[in-house]
Amino acid sequence: MNQCLYWSDISGKPTVIAVDGIDHAARSGSANTFLRTLPTPETIPENVRFIFAGQPTHQFSEYPDFLSDLERIEEVQVPDIDKGDLELLYEKNSVLMKYDENDKKLLIDYIAEIAKGSTLSAVFAMQEATKYNDFTDFEQNSNVKRLNAGIQSYYEYIWKTAIQQVRNIGYTIDMYLAATFSVINKRVSAQVMADMYGEGISVWQWEDILQSLFPIVIYDSLGYSVFHNDVRLFLAIHYKKARQLHPTISAKIANYLLNVDFDEKVKHEVIFKLLKEARQEEKYVDVFTCEYVMEAYLIKRDLREIRQQMLDTLAILPRIEDKRKIVKFSCAVSTMQQYSESLRWQDRVYQCDIEIPFALECEKKPVVEGILSIEDFKAVF
């Protein structure tokens, strides 16, 4: 909060902090989320503003009470999506659309009726429309009718339909997919899935199931990814249903990240968490090496994260019999100390990268005057 005040003094304007999608935390199934840490209106300084966006307060008991108190906050109702918005969505996807003008009008009218004002439903319906050649084909064969029962039912129907096509492979492929897309925030290819999980599941089988998950999972030249972060939340909740598989699956993902040059940022974000879930904490010492530390500084990871990983590794050293690994760990700690000293000699301060959540194209909005840009957020924090 002090940093926000500092930025307000520099800019001469109120600092505005916008938090989008707070209903995701409410629906996460976790008892401990950032919702518990939200400041109450009385504790917010005069020149700091918070904007919280999410589904209506009456839908979630997990919301803090002050969000329902209209004497303490100002509530703004976002209007339902309308046909004008659908026109814009269509034009945005125009390169992929194959409809003539008459079919375009029929498509927009149909989606407006199905979506019933829901932005998320409309976005998914329009994305699915890119798959078909004309309105009749879309109306008869798409999954959008399931949106009448709500967006969660839509996800569930597409998910179960895709999984049923490969039910002979077994229950684990379901959880392999859910784990991958909820843990790894990066596009993955069918080859990566085959290499990561093995078990005789071929690349073409992965291709088939990943293709059948459209539009909740989409594809481009870099691989497959969830179309919207709401899908990631849906899959994270689904993955929790198979807690007995978590150690095995986490071990497979961790082993892949440790032995394949996949993505260094992903590795640094999740490897310690995966090893803990896999009950393989003794492998911390294999991870936390001089190379790992230097890589962490190079990609500007948070110092608090690096230090915590060092402490976690230190805690398991009594279980390590190979003294050479302990020596390597001590070298990594020395590297941290030397780097800190070099910054001090140069009178420099370490600057980590602020992890701004990835915004999908369908989530990007123009920046409203007075709200901080990404650059402003980085300057503040």
Side-chain angles (χ1 to χ4, degrees), residues 218-230:
I218 58 173
Y219 174 78
D220 62 21
S221 59
L222 298 176
Y224 295 89
S225 61
V226 295
F227 176 61
H228 193 283
N229 285 335
D230 197 58

Side-chain angles (χ1 to χ4, degrees), residues 295-309:
E295 188 177 68
Y297 287 133
L298 182 64
I299 61 178
K300 299 181 179 180
R301 300 300 298 175
D302 193 319
L303 273 181
R304 293 169 297 182
E305 175 188 77
I306 302 171
R307 288 168 179 163
Q308 186 58 55
Q309 291 176 348

Side-chain angles (χ1 to χ4, degrees), residues 230-381:
D230 197 58
V231 177
R232 194 182 308 282
L233 175 64
F234 164 76
L235 294 178
I237 294 172
H238 183 75
Y239 182 47
K240 288 181 180 179
K241 298 175 183 177
R243 292 190 182 277
Q244 74 279 8
L245 295 176
H246 287 190
T248 301
I249 295 176
S250 293
K252 287 178 178 290
I253 301 174
N255 184 63
Y256 181 83
L257 295 179
L258 289 175
N259 292 286
V260 177
D261 185 18
F262 177 68
D263 184 277
E264 67 272 10
K265 284 192 175 182
V266 170
K267 180 176 71 176
H268 281 262
E269 285 170 2
V270 303
I271 191 63
F272 272 72
K273 178 177 180 291
L274 288 169
L275 289 173
K276 183 176 181 179
E277 289 180 350
R279 300 165 191 158
Q280 296 180 4
E281 291 91 341
E282 68 279 359
K283 288 187 178 180
Y284 290 169
V285 74
D286 298 317
V287 175
F288 203 88
T289 62
C290 290
E291 293 77 13
Y292 181 85
V293 168
M294 289 188 288
E295 188 177 68
Y297 287 133
L298 182 64
I299 61 178
K300 299 181 179 180
R301 300 300 298 175
D302 193 319
L303 273 181
R304 293 169 297 182
E305 175 188 77
I306 302 171
R307 288 168 179 163
Q308 186 58 55
Q309 291 176 348
M310 182 268 288
L311 292 173
D312 290 342
T313 306
L314 183 63
I316 59 93
L317 287 188
R319 296 155 55 180
I320 305 301
E321 296 181 1
D322 188 341
K323 303 307 178 187
R324 291 170 298 180
K325 292 183 178 182
I326 297 177
V327 172
K328 285 185 178 181
F329 171 70
S330 69
C331 291
V333 175
S334 296
T335 300
M336 292 176 63
Q337 178 64 25
Q338 187 61 39
Y339 184 74
S340 178
E341 286 294 315
S342 67
L343 290 177
R344 185 175 63 82
W345 293 335
Q346 299 176 57
D347 195 25
R348 291 172 53 201
V349 177
Y350 177 77
Q351 295 287 340
C352 66
D353 268 353
I354 300 297
E355 296 291 329
I356 303 298
F358 176 65
L360 297 166
E361 287 299 320
C362 62
E363 298 171 318
K364 292 179 181 176
K365 301 289 183 184
V367 176
V368 179
E369 184 178 356
I371 295 180
L372 296 179
S373 66
I374 287 178
E375 288 72 22
D376 292 334
F377 271 110
K378 288 183 177 179
V380 172
F381 296 106

